[in-house]
Amino acid sequence: MIKLDIFGKTFIFRFGFFTVIAIFCLLDAPELAAVSACSCVVHELGHLFGAVLFDVRVKTVTFWAGGVKMVTERNLRPLSYDIIILLAGPIFNFISAIYMQFTENTPALAVNLFLGIFNLLPFSELDGGSVLRLFFEHKMINPDIFMKITAAVFSLFLFLYLFISGNGNITSYLTLLILLVSELAERK
């Protein structure tokens, strides 16, 4: 892990981030790597736009295998602000996908659409899971137990769907398995 403090912000680069870049290079897919990186930037700009909109300060920016994750200062603010900030990333990806449809840039359309949908999945590391966690906390429900149950049930249905639909892409199964194991092993 590489940790840098710049202008009062902490930037963290995890091993997985460099691993993903290396895999793209090994697969000789520089175009896909560039489109994916741009889509991640669009996603994070969405979160940043939401944070600026509600005057929320970004504390850390972490580059990990799943992309980029921003952590804001925890101040007392309305739940709706946090939810809008979390959903702004996927919304920016969907807006970008719509734009890419008009420009007929199919790879960028697909990556932005996938990134937006993927980040809405109910896992704590993703925006959808973070929204669920906030909802459970707001309702005074223990989020740890319910996040694990939600992730397990969702994963089971998605595994079944992928299998029944004939999806032979092992990466889909492995990604889902990694997210599930990460969720079940997480201790808050």
Side-chain angles (χ1 to χ4, degrees), residues 12-162:
I12 300 170
F13 296 86
R14 299 203 180 277
F15 175 74
F17 176 74
F18 297 109
T19 304
V20 170
I21 291 172
I23 290 171
F24 275 121
C25 292
L26 288 172
L27 294 175
D28 196 27
E31 296 86 14
L32 182 59
V35 167
S36 298
C38 289
S39 297
C40 284
V41 168
V42 165
H43 182 90
E44 294 308 318
L45 284 174
H47 291 308
L48 188 59
F49 175 79
V52 168
L53 184 66
F54 297 116
D55 197 29
V56 175
R57 295 179 190 260
V58 175
K59 195 164 98 175
T60 62
V61 179
T62 303
F63 296 81
W64 62 294
V68 182
K69 183 177 182 179
M70 289 191 313
V71 176
T72 61
E73 292 179 344
R74 292 297 306 165
N75 296 330
L76 290 177
R77 58 183 175 254
L79 175 67
S80 59
Y81 286 16
D82 286 333
I83 290 174
I84 291 169
I85 292 168
L86 286 166
L87 295 179
I91 288 169
F92 266 50
N93 285 123
F94 295 140
I95 291 169
S96 181
I98 291 168
Y99 174 76
M100 295 305 162
Q101 174 68 32
F102 289 116
T103 63
E104 298 180 5
N105 187 337
T106 306
L109 168 107
V111 170
N112 274 287
L113 192 58
F114 173 79
L115 189 60
I117 292 170
F118 179 77
N119 269 281
L120 292 175
L121 298 180
F123 298 98
S124 292
E125 289 292 324
L126 304 174
D127 300 325
S130 297
V131 168
L132 269 179
R133 180 171 286 283
L134 286 172
F135 174 78
F136 289 140
E137 288 172 355
H138 181 71
K139 294 292 182 183
M140 307 258 196
I141 299 171
N142 182 348
D144 297 328
I145 294 168
F146 280 93
M147 287 303 297
K148 289 177 187 337
I149 292 169
T150 302
V153 170
F154 177 82
S155 296
L156 175 67
F157 281 112
L158 191 53
F159 272 125
L160 287 173
Y161 171 77
L162 290 172

